[in-house]
């Protein structure tokens, strides 16, 4: 491994030495500020060089999101034929010009520099020169401390080794734990920001579930492996996480994924600034939809007693309709009777007298026979 990455050891050590020489003009050459800022500057330089790969990563991620429905259809269609499934997937990638590995390019490109920095710091901890770090710079780097923790110290180092670097176990472990927590938290926030703001929520795909899983897996990985990283490597990784978080925030705000929450917020900002002018028909449609949403009322939930009390209402309503109908018929009959002249009146009087006599006859009771008393 040392033979293969030996050129990178020279490259990484040379960059660190150059930045250390610059910051030594401001800070003490043996201080953690000079060496720590040299490592931070190394990260910034690498990430600037990786911006084109980052742009490709964004495009590849969006293309993968757009292809998820088609990929799912292929998987369902050829679920019993894995070879045909792979062939159709490769054909889909070729037709759309998408490379699944493009989303991993920044991480893959950083890996050699990360490994090289790890080896350089390990050589410093073992009191060995490496690359452009000669014995003088080696002694200076060993004296450098960040908040009391040497650059080459690890969380898992023994007390004797930490004391040989001029520090205490408590200082090293407190600093490393704080940096690991910050490193994991920044990674979690970056992934969560991607899931909540820059994903098309109208399309539910396995890709979203995969990203959601990574949101929890990556911080755990950083926490587990971080205890074996030297403090200088933790500085490197924390800096690259913060850079990624800021870079992603800028991209999400300026160029969000269509259909995402960030895209809607961006459209509203541009609309408020007058940079997007909608047609009157679109404005009227949105206004009508908003008014309909506001006017729509949900039915109130009733208790069981209220529902039971309201059950006989239809019967009562029917009785009211019957009474109203009979009243209407009576009033109609009276109006007809009034409209027919004197003969109708006489007929009405005769009919009334007959009804009276009939009532009298019905009201009379014949005496019972004496034998039935």
């Amino acid at each position: 491994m040392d033979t293969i990455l030996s050129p990178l050891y020279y490259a990484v050590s040379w960059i660190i030495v150059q930045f250390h020489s610059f910051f030594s003009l401001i800070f003490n050459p043996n201080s953690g500020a000079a060496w720590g800022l040299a490592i931070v500057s190394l990260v910034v330089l690498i990430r600037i060089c990786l911006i084109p790969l980052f742009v490709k990563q964004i495009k590849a991620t969006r293309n993968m999101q757009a292809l998820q429905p088609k990929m799912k259809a292929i998987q369902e269609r050829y679920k019993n034929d894995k070879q045909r499934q792979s062939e159709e997937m490769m054909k889909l990638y070729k037709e759309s010009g998408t490379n699944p590995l493009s989303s991993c390019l920044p991480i893959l490109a950083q890996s050699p520099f990360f490994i090289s920095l790890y080896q350089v710091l390990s050589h410093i901890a073992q009191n060995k020169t490496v690359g452009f770090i000669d014995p003088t710079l080696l002694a200076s780097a060993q004296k450098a401390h960040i908040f009391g923790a040497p650059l080459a110290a690890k969380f898992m180092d023994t007390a004797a080794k930490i004391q040989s670097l001029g520090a205490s176990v408590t200082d090293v472990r407190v600093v490393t734990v704080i940096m690991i927590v910050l490193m994991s938290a920044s990674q979690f926030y970056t992934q969560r920001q991607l899931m909540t703001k820059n994903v098309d929520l109208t399309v539910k795909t396995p890709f979203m579930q995969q990203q959601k899983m990574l949101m929890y897996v990556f911080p755990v990985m950083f926490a587990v492996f971080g205890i074996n990283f030297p403090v200088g490597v933790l500085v490197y990784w924390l800096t690259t996480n913060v850079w990624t978080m800021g870079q992603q925030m800028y991209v999400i705000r300026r160029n969000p994924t269509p259909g995402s929450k960030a895209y809607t917020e961006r459209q509203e900002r541009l609309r408020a600034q007058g940079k997007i002018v909608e047609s009157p028909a679109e404005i009227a449609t949105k206004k009508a939809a908003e008014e309909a949403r506001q006017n729509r009322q949900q039915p109130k939930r009733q208790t069981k007693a209220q529902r039971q009390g309201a059950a006989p209402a239809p019967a009562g309503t029917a009785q009211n309709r019957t009474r109203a109908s009979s009243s209407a018929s009576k009033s109609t009959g009276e109006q007809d009777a009034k409209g027919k002249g004197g003969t109708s009146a006489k007929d009405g009087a005769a009919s009334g007298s007959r009804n009276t006599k009939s009532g009298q006859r019905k009201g009379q009771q014949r005496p019972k026979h004496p034998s039935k008393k």
Side-chain angles (χ1 to χ4, degrees):
M1 180 64 72
D2 289 345
T3 305
I4 297 173
L5 296 178
S6 180
L8 279 177
Y9 294 171
Y10 280 91
V12 170
S13 61
W14 182 83
I15 294 172
I16 291 177
V17 168
Q18 299 305 313
F19 280 120
H20 175 261
S21 300
F22 172 75
F23 288 113
S24 295
L25 301 175
I26 305 172
F27 304 100
N28 184 351
N30 299 332
S31 65
W35 285 99
L37 289 175
I39 295 174
V40 171
S41 301
L42 170 67
V43 176
V44 173
L45 178 63
I46 293 174
R47 294 308 301 265
I48 290 174
C49 295
L50 294 179
I51 286 178
L53 294 179
F54 181 75
V55 173
K56 287 186 178 181
Q57 180 190 22
I58 294 174
K59 292 181 179 179
T61 302
R62 291 185 179 178
N63 290 338
M64 289 295 292
Q65 291 178 357
L67 291 178
Q68 285 299 311
K70 295 181 179 180
M71 293 170 62
K72 190 174 182 180
I74 292 174
Q75 291 173 353
E76 291 293 331
R77 185 175 181 181
Y78 303 105
K79 59 182 177 180
N80 296 326
D81 190 351
K82 298 298 182 182
Q83 183 177 356
R84 182 66 185 278
Q85 186 183 115
S86 301
E87 292 175 357
E88 292 296 326
M89 287 288 189
M90 295 304 297
K91 183 179 179 181
L92 180 63
Y93 293 148
K94 186 175 181 181
E95 290 176 353
S96 60
T98 303
N99 184 2
L101 296 178
S102 298
S103 59
C104 303
L105 285 178
I107 296 177
L108 294 176
Q110 283 188 86
S111 298
F113 295 95
F114 176 79
I115 295 172
S116 299
L117 178 62
Y118 181 88
Q119 292 296 328
V120 167
L121 293 174
S122 296
H123 279 73
I124 292 174
Q126 297 170 9
N127 199 21
K128 296 180 180 178
T129 59
V130 56
F132 286 90
I133 297 181
D134 55 23
T136 303
L137 292 173
L138 177 62
S140 176
Q142 286 183 335
K143 295 177 183 178
H145 292 67
I146 296 179
F147 300 109
L151 287 176
K154 305 175 188 176
F155 181 89
M156 300 299 293
D157 283 344
T158 60
K161 186 174 182 179
I162 292 174
Q163 289 175 0
S164 66
L165 295 172
S168 65
V169 176
T170 303
D171 291 341
V172 171
R173 293 187 175 175
V174 169
V175 171
T176 53
V177 167
I178 292 174
M179 295 185 72
I180 289 171
V181 170
L182 293 176
M183 189 171 61
S184 300
S186 59
Q187 178 66 32
F188 177 81
Y189 180 80
T190 301
Q191 195 68 21
R192 186 176 184 275
Q193 180 182 233
L194 179 65
M195 287 296 301
T196 56
K197 288 193 173 184
N198 203 38
V199 173
D200 187 358
L201 301 177
T202 60
V203 181
K204 301 295 183 181
T205 62
F207 180 78
M208 295 176 62
Q209 297 297 327
Q210 180 184 2
Q211 293 296 316
K212 187 176 181 180
M213 181 182 66
L214 293 177
M215 181 173 66
Y216 297 98
V217 170
F218 275 148
V220 174
M221 290 176 60
F222 279 118
V224 171
F225 295 114
I227 58 176
N228 293 312
F229 290 161
V231 173
V233 174
L234 293 178
V235 171
Y236 174 94
W237 207 248
L238 177 60
T239 305
T240 194
N241 280 0
V242 173
W243 177 280
T244 302
M245 182 173 63
Q247 187 173 249
Q248 184 172 273
M249 290 175 64
Y250 177 83
V251 172
I252 289 176
R253 182 175 177 83
R254 296 286 182 175
N255 190 20
T257 301
S260 63
K261 181 181 178 181
Y263 182 82
T264 304
E265 293 175 352
R266 178 178 176 272
Q267 295 300 100
E268 292 296 333
R269 287 197 304 269
L270 295 177
R271 203 173 286 115
Q273 296 172 3
K275 296 182 180 180
I276 295 179
V277 180
E278 297 178 337
S279 62
E282 292 179 353
I283 296 175
T285 302
K286 289 184 177 181
K287 186 177 180 181
E290 182 64 21
E291 290 178 354
R293 187 185 66 81
Q294 292 178 355
N295 294 332
R296 186 171 63 248
Q297 295 181 355
Q298 296 292 336
K300 294 182 179 180
R301 187 174 181 179
Q302 296 181 344
T303 62
K304 185 176 180 180
Q306 290 175 340
R307 290 196 298 270
Q308 291 177 350
T317 305
Q319 293 176 1
N320 293 336
R321 286 199 298 268
T322 304
R323 292 173 182 172
S325 177
S326 62
S327 301
S329 62
K330 288 180 181 179
S331 62
T332 304
E334 291 174 357
Q335 291 176 359
D336 291 342
K338 290 179 181 179
K340 286 183 179 180
T343 305
S344 298
K346 291 178 182 179
D347 294 340
S351 176
S353 62
R354 284 196 298 270
N355 291 336
T356 304
K357 292 178 180 179
S358 175
Q360 290 175 355
R361 286 196 298 268
K362 289 181 179 179
Q364 295 175 355
Q365 295 181 356
R366 294 192 301 179
K368 294 183 179 179
H369 193 275
S371 63
K372 295 181 178 180
K373 290 183 179 179

